[in-house]
């Protein structure tokens, strides 16, 4: 059943609010608190989707201007911290805080990125990963202090993960192993794994047309 609050005002138009939703995330201790990364801004609902508001103010404290750009990802850690990405920008809401903070400048070398995918470690939400792409890999970032500071653990460049066609604008998924906060998977054309012990990519799986007999994620 489609939520009435999310029906676009104009059908088949990318310019209408709620034309598409890239990601949903639910607050861990309140299932009525939902975040949606949409084509026209991050949206948050406190009533299970009956109504929505844009929580990212661009001119505090008056809040008459909001970020209505396309948001690609939103994730909520088990500790309630929220991270959301918007065309190469990263917004952070610490658990208990009132307002989102733009922390893009805290990630060295992020300028020029086009998309960021985020993953919290299930076993320790202080570990957060942000994979930034600009067609090819831009950088893989890690935070071990709940998003306060960030380090580049795998620098960008080359064709790893996103292939020779540089498909990082849409071939991008990030996940962390449930029992190891420093063991992260990044999926592009192929699937790669990065361990905190060496901070380099290791091939984990190939697509079907690359080589037969191996696990196929195609």
């Amino acid at each position: 059943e489609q939520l009435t609050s999310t029906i676009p005002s104009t059908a088949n138009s990318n310019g209408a609010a709620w034309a598409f939703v890239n990601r949903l995330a639910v607050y861990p201790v309140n299932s009525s608190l939902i975040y949606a990364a949409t084509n026209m801004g991050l949206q948050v609902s406190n009533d299970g989707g009956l109504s929505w508001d844009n929580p990212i103010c661009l001119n505090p404290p008056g809040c008459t201007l909001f970020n209505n750009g396309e948001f690609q990802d939103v994730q909520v850690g088990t500790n309630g911290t929220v991270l959301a990405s918007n065309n190469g920008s990263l917004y952070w809401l610490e658990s208990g805080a009132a307002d989102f903070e733009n922390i893009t400048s805290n990630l060295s070398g992020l300028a020029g990125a086009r998309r960021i995918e985020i993953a919290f470690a299930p076993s320790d939400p202080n570990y957060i990963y942000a994979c930034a792409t600009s067609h090819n890999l831009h950088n893989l970032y890690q935070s071990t202090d709940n998003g306060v500071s960030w380090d580049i653990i795998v620098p960008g460049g080359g064709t790893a993960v996103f292939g020779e066609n540089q498909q990082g604008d849409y071939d991008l998924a990030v996940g962390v192993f449930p029992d190891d906060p420093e063991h992260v998977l990044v999926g592009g054309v192929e699937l790669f794994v990065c361990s905190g012990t060496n901070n380099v990519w290791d091939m984990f799986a190939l697509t079907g047309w690359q080589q037969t007999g191996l696990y196929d994620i195609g």
Side-chain angles (χ1 to χ4, degrees), residues 9-63:
S9 58
T10 304
N12 299 319
S13 171
N14 287 343
W18 295 102
F20 53 88
V21 179
N22 287 317
R23 191 83 67 213
L24 291 170
V26 181
Y27 203 75
V29 295
N30 180 4
S31 59
S32 293
L33 178 53
I34 307 168
Y35 290 92
T38 81
N39 63 305
M40 291 191 66
L42 183 69
Q43 300 293 323
V44 60
S45 174
N46 289 289
D47 52 19
L50 296 178
S51 62
W52 300 83
D53 294 298
N54 188 326
I56 298 185
C57 174
L58 295 178
N59 62 338
C63 289

Side-chain angles (χ1 to χ4, degrees), residues 12 63 65 72 87 103 105 129 132-133 192 195 197 215:
N12 299 319
C63 289
L65 181 65
Q72 287 83 27
N87 293 327
I103 62 168
S105 60
Y129 295 87
T133 66
F192 283 77
S195 169
T197 59
Y215 178 62

Side-chain angles (χ1 to χ4, degrees), residues 160-162 185-194 201-218:
V161 183
F162 304 112
L185 289 163
V186 175
V189 177
E190 279 77 44
L191 188 62
F192 283 77
V193 64
C194 175
W201 293 121
D202 294 310
M203 179 73 75
F204 193 72
L206 300 178
T207 48
W209 65 83
Q210 294 279 356
Q211 184 172 339
T212 59
L214 295 180
Y215 178 62
D216 181 10
I217 62 168

Side-chain angles (χ1 to χ4, degrees), residues 6 28 35 45 85 94 96 102 108-109 137 155 178 212:
T6 67
Y35 290 92
S45 174
S85 64
E94 190 175 13
N102 188 332
S108 174
L137 175 69
T212 59

